Amino acid sequence: MKRTITLAALLLGIVGVASAQRSSPFAPPRASLHYALDRDYDLMDLSIDLNIDYANFSFNGSVVNTLAPLRSNLKVIRLMAGKELHISTVLVDGKAATFTHEGRMLLIQSPHELKKGQKTLVSVTYNAINTKAQPFGGEGGFHWIKPNKDPGHVGFWTQGESESNSNWVPMWDYPNDFTTSTSRVTVSADWNVVGNGNLISDTKSADGKRRTFVWKMPLPHATYLLTVCGGPFDMKSDVWEGVKLMYVVPKGKGYLIDGSFGDTKDMLSYYSQLTGVKYPWPKYAQDAMYDFGGGMENASATTLGEGSLTEPREGFRRMASLNSHELGHQWFGDYVTCKDWGHVWLNESFATFMQMMYFEHSRGKTGYDQEVEGNIQGYLAESRNYKRPIITRMYPNADSMFDSHTYPKGGVVLHTLRKWLGDEAFWAGIKLYLQTNAHTPVESWQLCKALTDASGINCEPFFQQWLMKPGHPVIDSTWDWNASTKTATVTVSQMQDTADGTPTYDIPAKVGIILDGKLTRYPMHLVGATNTQTIVLPKKPDAVLFDPDHDFLREIPKLHWDKSELPAILKYSPNGIDRTRAMQMLLDGSPTDETIYMIAEAIKADSDQTPALRSTRGLAALKRADLRPLFLGLLTHPNFDRRAEAVQALGMLPQEPATVAKIRSLINEKDPIPVVTAAIGVLASWDKKANKDVFEKALKIPSHNDRIKNAAKSALGD
């Protein structure tokens, strides 16, 4: 007999709140219970027609909602329509219908009886003037890009999540119903429009002044994933395994396309292989728009902020974090979507995790480890204000669910689940989840069931403690050596306050023993508040690390590392976060020459594109002239930020002619932008007058957002 988690079990995730958390937005009275909205019908198709009048910041629209009642004798058809929409007429199967428009609800009295399952056409004509959408943190919908001194700063975009697409088209605006869609948009003849699905037609009016684009999405999707973006664009097309790719940026920004989107095909291949499900949509467009913040994973057509565009000289694939997150959504959030916002982690936690996975693929283990740590710290900062279950029905509104519990915490919980199950079982469960629930809205138990069925491991206990309860493990770890018995005794305590519903976790953890230049892992199962494990060893270990691979979400307020352990941790820890912490601790106070040279050698050997040791600033702060050769050598490091740090480190040393000449030579059109700007800053701190010539040269060096020019102007005092 197969087991599934019931809805009743999920509701156990709603826990009591202790007095310390009573100010939480996820506690009454600010929060209340939310359930998926009742549906009266199945929305089958949307056919939208927009005529854009940019000069007057207005549009005329019409939409046909094709639907089938779920119950007999349906008399009132409920649609959502934003208050800025002026409804002129409503037809039901071609017959005029009376309606009321109050708030965001459009209630339509059907002129005839609607039967269960009978296809019904509900047509609405409307218009809107000077709509004002904000991408995140405010009411979304339809946004006009107002003109400024930049000739390309015109156009529009839409933003649907969480329930804002009804601010520009009347429809069912909740994620528990999927539909196909067609968008017909008419704009000025010199503009382009990008929408969901395939471009069916692109035609000009008889007088050549207007242009109509028709985009059709034949696959079902949630309505909040609808999009149209319009304006004068620079565009580039490509093809990946038969799927058309579109890279869309504001007019004049085309030179940034390759640097911003050049790894898209690699992402598509990697995610398709990883999930076992090929990219599921007919095309993929990435639309970079003015005034937009972050990114939005509209089905087959992601919208991105123009400010995230980058060029190769700024650093290694600086847009990959945003792009990989939004592309991950095309599987998690688009292909399979949460049925209601209490389960939005199925969208956002997965996109965060897929971003982490792509960094492991493209930047190695260190890139992945740094993403895990960054997400842990992002969540911990929020947890000091409030804690809540990742899965919850208790929240103030849909937008409040898009917090650091849903994004970084959920992403690291998926990392924890991956490490617990192992890659083979985890990805088999993910493939089953995607294939079973394709193009449908889901709840979290469906993921739990797929993981359990694919692996044979009951995942319900994991979901209960990590997803349906608040908080996280707070770990204190110490060890002692008994020379007579030759045993290391490791004691691990869970220190978290459980008064707010945070559990005492059941965790299959590990202890890492570093001995004679080798790390050996020993299993240590945490099952209570305090756990002790004794390990027999041939001699005293050089260092002991609890959870050496950072396999699970945890907070460790105090590291009880003895100073004698730090060299071994610096050299042999498998995680760059621990190596970096050991380096920082070694540099505290007055480090010996031996320690300094050991750290210098570790930094010199840390030569990957993504260095394991996060920064050289601690070593540079010593201002030791004997480290000059190290920093000169780092000027050719593959990581641009490491190079820029090296420039700044050299700037902290006494001036020396060869070094001055070297730094002056870095001000050119080929070296990385952060290196050039760092060089300008160092030369300005040394001698502005003597280096005026290179500052004036830098005024003419092109760079994204004029970073080099602005640094030169600052150095010149202009």
Side-chain angles (χ1 to χ4, degrees), residues 32 60 99 155 183 300 310 320 374 391 393 428 455-456 512 519 543 571 576 615:
S32 59
N60 294 318
F99 62 90
S183 299
S300 81
T310 186
I391 302 169
R393 298 201 182 281
S455 67
L519 181 135
K571 292 179 182 178
S615 176

Side-chain angles (χ1 to χ4, degrees), residues 155-174:
F156 65 86
W157 45 258
T158 63
Q159 164 61 24
E161 196 173 42
S162 53
E163 299 167 25
S164 299
N165 271 334
S166 53
N167 288 336
W168 62 277
V169 55
M171 61 179 179
W172 180 257
D173 196 3
Y174 198 79

Side-chain angles (χ1 to χ4, degrees), residues 313-516:
R313 290 174 64 209
E314 291 186 279
F316 180 69
R317 294 297 179 192
R318 299 290 279 233
M319 207 170 168
S321 177
L322 176 61
N323 290 344
S324 60
H325 179 103
E326 302 306 333
L327 180 58
H329 268 305
Q330 299 297 317
W331 285 261
F332 302 97
D334 293 11
Y335 189 55
V336 179
T337 306
C338 65
K339 183 178 290 186
D340 66 78
W341 303 114
H343 297 271
V344 74
W345 82 284
L346 294 170
N347 303 5
E348 297 298 347
S349 300
F350 264 100
T352 303
F353 176 69
M354 292 298 282
Q355 170 190 330
M356 293 157 57
M357 290 302 304
Y358 186 70
F359 271 47
E360 182 177 69
H361 165 74
S362 61
R363 306 182 187 204
K365 179 182 180 299
T366 294
Y368 180 82
D369 290 343
Q370 290 176 359
E371 287 291 297
V372 171
E373 179 65 16
N375 283 316
I376 289 175
Q377 296 306 319
Y379 155 68
L380 290 179
E382 184 171 88
S383 74
R384 296 179 186 105
N385 296 322
Y386 67 85
K387 303 184 186 74
R388 68 166 178 88
I390 291 176
I391 302 169
T392 182
R393 298 201 182 281
M394 183 70 72
Y395 52 89
N397 54 64
D399 288 343
S400 67
M401 289 296 294
F402 295 81
D403 63 357
S404 290
H405 284 67
T406 291
Y407 285 80
K409 181 184 182 182
V412 179
V413 167
L414 285 169
H415 154 77
T416 305
L417 180 59
R418 174 199 179 194
K419 293 297 183 179
W420 175 59
L421 287 177
D423 274 359
E424 182 181 13
F426 177 81
W427 291 110
I430 295 302
K431 180 179 180 180
L432 181 61
Y433 165 72
L434 291 171
Q435 291 179 333
T436 302
N437 302 294
H439 297 295
T440 58
V442 297
E443 294 177 316
S444 300
W445 68 264
Q446 289 160 283
L447 171 64
C448 184
K449 181 180 186 303
L451 289 164
T452 299
D453 288 349
S455 67
I457 299 170
N458 184 4
C459 294
E460 183 173 352
F462 183 97
F463 274 55
Q464 284 285 346
Q465 70 174 357
W466 287 104
L467 292 156
M468 296 156 71
K469 294 182 180 179
H472 56 273
V474 180
I475 300 296
D476 188 76
S477 172
T478 59
W479 69 281
D480 293 303
W481 173 250
N482 187 320
S484 61
T485 60
K486 292 188 176 182
T487 55
T489 301
V490 182
T491 302
V492 179
S493 299
Q494 297 191 51
M495 309 295 291
Q496 63 269 20
D497 183 359
T498 58
D500 62 355
T502 299
T504 299
Y505 288 81
D506 184 316
I507 303 170
K510 299 184 186 73
V511 174
I513 302 293
I514 300 176
L515 185 61
D516 294 336

Side-chain angles (χ1 to χ4, degrees), residues 201-230:
S201 63
D202 170 7
T203 57
K204 284 189 177 182
S205 60
D207 61 6
K209 294 181 179 180
R210 304 285 285 169
R211 190 175 176 187
T212 300
F213 296 82
V214 179
W215 288 91
K216 185 175 182 62
M217 171 55 83
L219 301 174
H221 59 89
T223 53
Y224 78 87
L225 298 170
L226 277 169
T227 180
V228 286
C229 295

Side-chain angles (χ1 to χ4, degrees), residues 562-617:
D562 187 81
K563 196 165 186 177
S564 63
E565 295 180 87
L566 299 179
I569 296 171
L570 173 65
K571 292 179 182 178
Y572 304 115
S573 169
N575 192 292
I577 305 303
D578 286 342
R579 294 182 60 200
T580 298
R581 288 171 178 159
M583 178 182 71
Q584 293 166 341
M585 294 170 72
L586 284 165
L587 288 170
D588 286 344
S590 302
T592 65
D593 287 351
E594 180 183 5
T595 296
I596 291 168
Y597 296 146
M598 175 182 63
I599 292 172
E601 285 301 312
I603 289 173
K604 183 178 179 181
D606 192 21
S607 58
D608 289 344
Q609 168 65 58
T610 304
L613 300 173
R614 296 300 298 268
S615 176
T616 61
R617 292 191 181 95

